[in-house]
Amino acid sequence: MQNDDARLKELTQKAKDIRRHIVEMTARAGSGHPGGSLSSADLVTVLFFEVLRFKPNEPHWPDRDRFHLSKGHCCPLLYAVLAEAGFFPKEKLLTLRRLGSILQGHPDRRTPGVDVASGSLGQGLSVALGMSLAAKVDARGYRVYVLMGDGEIQEGNIWEAAMAASHYKCDNLCAILDFNGFQIDGKTCEVMNVEPVAEKWKAFGWHTIEINGHDMGEILSAYRLAQTIKAKPTIIIARTVKGKGVSFMENVCDFHGRAPNKDELEKARKELS
Ligand SMILES: Cc1ncc(C[n+]2csc(CCOP(=O)(O)OP(=O)(O)O)c2C)c(N)n1
């Protein structure tokens, strides 16, 4: 790998391009979820462009590392990353949420690079656990990554999967928690506090790594460390800012599920140019 500093700079630029796609796609669609897409953009950019093994021309390559977007409403991010990675042409991004488009409002298997549909929160860790166990049964070396939201982990289903993953010593499984502090109705700590979050995952037998989810160096180190952990699953708890990268969207709950209008799009484009 080339010098880390230079590479981190490239990844920062890539994340900016991806953020621009997110605001452009949702603005064109007139709906969608920019806030949580922007907060996870750095985490998913580093994952796709530095860590995951995949072949865009062969989306079902059996040895590909798996990525499951459990917080499926953040699919503008996933689609932007898949397009940048070459799974389909970038022009398709502006068809988000259109009837008949390969890019639906929540992930669907019609999109190259999407293995499992998502959107109903709380299910993704169980999906990832199944993939992780399948790799072990089939003696394959792929790793499984799953992205969840801090609001999402209020779902009980998550904790059943958390318990099973450590019971079965799923060290090929890495969960990423985008802890942006907001969910659909407001602050997570006010709706249903999930803290102390690291202690909860530790108690469930997971290796936990806490990072700033916008520091590309910390993100990359966390993924590298996770690859070395044996006999237990790992969770990367990333503290992030909802709407990160667009000043007037940052920490504004309204942008959880509202697209930028024409003026807001222009402002956002300037900030991301
Ligand atoms: C089972 C289920 N209940 C409710 C919803 C509606 N919903 C969509 S996004 C969301 C909030 C999610 O918050 P969080 O996981 O923190 O996501 P982020 O802030 O990262 O966007 C809710 C409740 C859903 N998609 N699935």
Side-chain angles (χ1 to χ4, degrees), residues 37-55:
S37 297
L38 292 167
S39 63
S40 298
D42 297 318
L43 295 163
V44 179
T45 299
V46 176
L47 184 64
F48 266 78
F49 297 101
E50 200 55 48
V51 180
L52 288 188
R53 293 161 297 180
F54 57 83
K55 296 181 180 177

Side-chain angles (χ1 to χ4, degrees), residues 3-251:
N3 173 292
D4 266 5
D5 284 347
R7 184 65 186 135
L8 293 177
K9 227 170 159 189
E10 284 173 9
L11 289 167
T12 303
Q13 182 55 47
K14 180 68 88 182
K16 208 172 200 184
D17 295 342
I18 283 163
R19 287 191 163 92
R20 208 171 45 248
H21 289 314
I22 292 167
V23 292
E24 287 174 347
M25 294 161 76
T26 51
R28 172 68 74 92
S31 61
H33 296 81
S37 297
L38 292 167
S39 63
S40 298
D42 297 318
L43 295 163
V44 179
T45 299
V46 176
L47 184 64
F48 266 78
F49 297 101
E50 200 55 48
V51 180
L52 288 188
R53 293 161 297 180
F54 57 83
K55 296 181 180 177
N57 296 330
E58 197 186 335
H60 296 292
W61 176 45
D63 289 318
R64 71 195 179 284
D65 288 329
R66 273 48 166 185
F67 173 70
H68 183 58
L69 181 69
S70 186
K71 54 169 193 150
H73 58 282
C74 297
C75 57
L77 164 63
L78 176 61
Y79 299 155
V81 167
L82 290 173
E84 284 286 341
F87 282 84
F88 49 81
K90 287 184 212 167
E91 297 74 59
K92 292 268 182 211
L93 292 176
L94 293 179
T95 69
L96 174 70
R97 289 182 164 236
R98 269 202 220 149
L99 199 62
S101 167
I102 59 162
L103 306 180
Q104 291 299 295
H106 287 79
D108 179 289
R109 293 184 64 199
R110 80 185 71 180
T111 309
V114 173
D115 287 318
V116 183
S118 59
S120 185
L121 296 170
Q123 299 180 355
L125 190 59
S126 301
V127 169
L129 170 62
M131 292 172 169
S132 150
L133 293 171
K136 287 181 182 285
V137 169
D138 294 342
R140 289 195 181 273
Y142 64 78
R143 291 180 55 77
V144 183
Y145 296 84
V146 54
L147 178 67
M148 305 180 293
D150 56 331
E152 178 180 17
I153 64 164
Q154 294 159 347
E155 293 272 357
N157 195 354
I158 294 284
W159 299 99
E160 293 183 43
M163 195 157 41
S166 73
H167 177 82
Y168 290 110
K169 300 185 170 39
C170 292
D171 50 13
N172 58 356
L173 175 61
C174 177
I176 306 146
L177 181 63
D178 175 0
F179 206 118
N180 59 34
F182 285 88
Q183 53 189 101
I184 200 168
D185 297 318
K187 291 185 176 169
T188 310
C189 61
E190 289 169 5
V191 178
M192 173 81 77
N193 193 12
V194 297
E195 296 280 17
V197 73
E199 282 81 347
K200 287 188 174 77
W201 288 92
K202 274 181 204 148
F204 274 74
W206 286 57
H207 182 80
T208 59
I209 304 172
E210 291 186 77
I211 60 165
N212 170 351
H214 301 305
D215 182 313
M216 302 309 238
E218 282 190 33
I219 296 170
L220 185 53
S221 303
Y223 288 133
R224 286 183 179 156
L225 175 59
Q227 288 170 334
T228 68
I229 303 300
K230 298 288 171 229
K232 46 166 72 176
T234 294
I235 183 162
I236 298 171
I237 299 168
R239 303 286 169 173
T240 62
V241 173
K242 199 147 178 173
K244 177 71 179 180
V246 180
S247 58
F248 59 89
M249 289 186 169
E250 290 188 0
N251 292 320

Side-chain angles (χ1 to χ4, degrees), residues 249-266:
M249 289 186 169
E250 290 188 0
N251 292 320
V252 175
C253 204
D254 188 34
F255 282 108
H256 167 83
R258 173 168 90 70
N261 62 31
K262 222 172 148 214
D263 291 345
E264 289 165 342
L265 172 63
E266 283 323 307

